[in-house]
Amino acid sequence: MMDALSVVTQLRDLASEPQNREVIVQDQGCLPGLVLFLDHKNPEVLLATLQTLRYLSEMSPNIPIMKNELGMMVSLETLMERKGLSVDLTSLAREVYDILITPITARPTTHDRERGKKPQFFINSSNKKAKSVTLHIQGLDGSEQRSLCEEALLKVKGVISFTFQMASKRCTVRIRADLSTESLATAIAATKTLSAQQVVKNEEGDEVLMSLNVSEAEVQQNTALPDYLPEDEDSPEKDLSRAVSRTTAKDDSSGTWLNAAASFLTKTFYW
């Protein structure tokens, strides 16, 4: 069963892939739903929503559509002024707001980006590289086990984002370069019902499962909300199955995950 956090988290993961950004903004349900999420009480939902909007704003043609979306600018202004929010949230809301109101001509050019002047993507981002690993998760048989796995991964310091392929019991996890894959296996094993192996390619190019050592030591955990990194063009793994056109909700072959998310947003917020 979908809830606000799982929907916006997966929408953020989809938005992290450049090829998905136009599709998400053009969808009739997702952008209005994100605006409504800007009024959510859960700071994790707010963070994931703002990160999603920040990803979407990386594509210049999306900016006027986002700016003109009913309630977008007002909601961002409200967030910037809301009492009791963390500095991270208010700063990210201001960053998205500033991008949407800045004329296109004032934005960094492609030449600037090529010269290494790419603007800071998320607050608290760093220059450390990120990497992607694909895990085969034994026991990943349904939504309950998936929720367990999500909770375990969210607690690991250094996890940036993750996307599930439920039919193949796989999870593609983007992590900081200095985080060991064994840390992920240890966190997943701590659920007592799941275990993880890494999916790698052998010399012949065939996929094989590699066992991971599970440590008895406690994995370093996030004490606050995750510190998300900017996208890396040279991430060693690009999992094309994350594209919107090929991402389904669980084993639902009748439509894309994006359709499922949009349906959830519509049923939840429009009455």
Side-chain angles (χ1 to χ4, degrees):
M1 181 179 179
M2 286 186 172
D3 58 24
L5 183 58
S6 65
V7 167
V8 75
T9 297
Q10 291 209 43
L11 201 54
R12 181 200 62 213
D13 289 345
L14 290 171
S16 72
E17 299 290 347
Q19 71 268 22
N20 295 335
R21 292 170 187 167
E22 182 180 4
V23 179
I24 292 172
V25 168
Q26 295 292 339
D27 185 88
Q28 293 185 351
C30 288
L31 202 55
L34 288 169
V35 172
L36 289 166
F37 279 151
L38 289 174
D39 192 41
H40 207 280
K41 303 302 180 185
N42 185 340
E44 291 184 89
V45 173
L46 287 177
L47 179 67
T49 301
L50 288 168
Q51 289 170 334
T52 303
L53 293 173
R54 184 62 182 86
Y55 276 128
L56 297 177
S57 69
E58 278 286 283
M59 189 173 184
S60 295
N62 286 346
I63 291 174
I65 301 173
M66 295 171 65
K67 180 180 178 181
N68 294 323
E69 180 63 40
L70 182 64
M72 176 71 75
M73 304 308 287
V74 173
S75 296
L76 288 171
E77 289 173 352
T78 301
L79 266 185
M80 291 188 296
E81 298 170 0
R82 187 191 292 183
K83 303 293 183 182
L85 285 184
S86 69
V87 175
D88 285 1
L89 286 172
T90 54
S91 297
L92 187 52
R94 181 170 295 280
E95 185 179 349
V96 173
Y97 181 87
D98 288 345
I99 289 171
L100 296 185
I101 64 172
T102 301
I104 299 295
T105 53
R107 301 182 191 283
T109 63
T110 301
H111 181 61
D112 288 334
R113 290 175 183 269
E114 290 173 352
R115 293 177 59 191
K117 295 182 180 178
K118 185 174 180 180
Q120 182 177 347
F121 192 72
F122 282 140
I123 50 175
N124 293 334
S125 65
S126 70
N127 292 324
K128 291 184 178 179
K129 296 295 182 181
K131 62 183 178 181
S132 294
V133 296
T134 298
L135 302 176
H136 176 82
I137 302 176
Q138 192 63 35
L140 190 65
D141 299 320
S143 58
E144 184 176 345
Q145 291 78 16
R146 173 179 171 151
S147 294
L148 277 177
C149 190
E150 287 177 346
E151 291 173 7
L153 292 173
L154 281 171
K155 292 177 182 178
V156 180
K157 188 174 180 63
V159 168
I160 300 164
S161 63
F162 46 83
T163 304
F164 290 91
Q165 298 87 41
M166 294 296 290
S168 57
K169 297 185 179 182
R170 290 187 178 184
C171 180
T172 300
V173 190
R174 192 159 177 266
I175 59 177
R176 298 177 75 107
D178 55 358
L179 179 66
S180 69
T181 308
E182 284 75 14
S183 296
L184 302 178
T186 299
I188 290 170
T191 64
K192 306 298 184 183
T193 59
L194 304 173
S195 61
Q197 295 172 286
Q198 186 174 0
V199 181
V200 297
K201 290 187 177 181
N202 60 20
E203 294 179 356
E204 288 74 35
D206 299 321
E207 289 187 347
V208 295
L209 299 181
M210 182 176 72
S211 297
L212 297 169
N213 293 325
V214 176
S215 172
E216 295 295 329
E218 187 174 348
V219 176
Q220 188 176 9
Q221 296 189 356
N222 280 309
T223 55
L225 294 176
D227 178 16
Y228 290 90
L229 290 177
E231 282 298 295
D232 281 329
E233 297 293 335
D234 55 353
S235 182
E237 235 179 86
K238 284 293 182 183
D239 185 358
L240 297 180
S241 66
R242 293 177 62 187
V244 169
S245 60
R246 297 176 57 189
T247 305
T248 59
K250 301 177 183 175
D251 298 324
D252 181 8
S253 59
S254 63
T256 66
W257 183 91
L258 183 60
N259 290 337
S263 175
F264 170 84
L265 293 170
T266 301
K267 291 177 182 177
T268 304
F269 295 109
Y270 297 96
W271 57 85

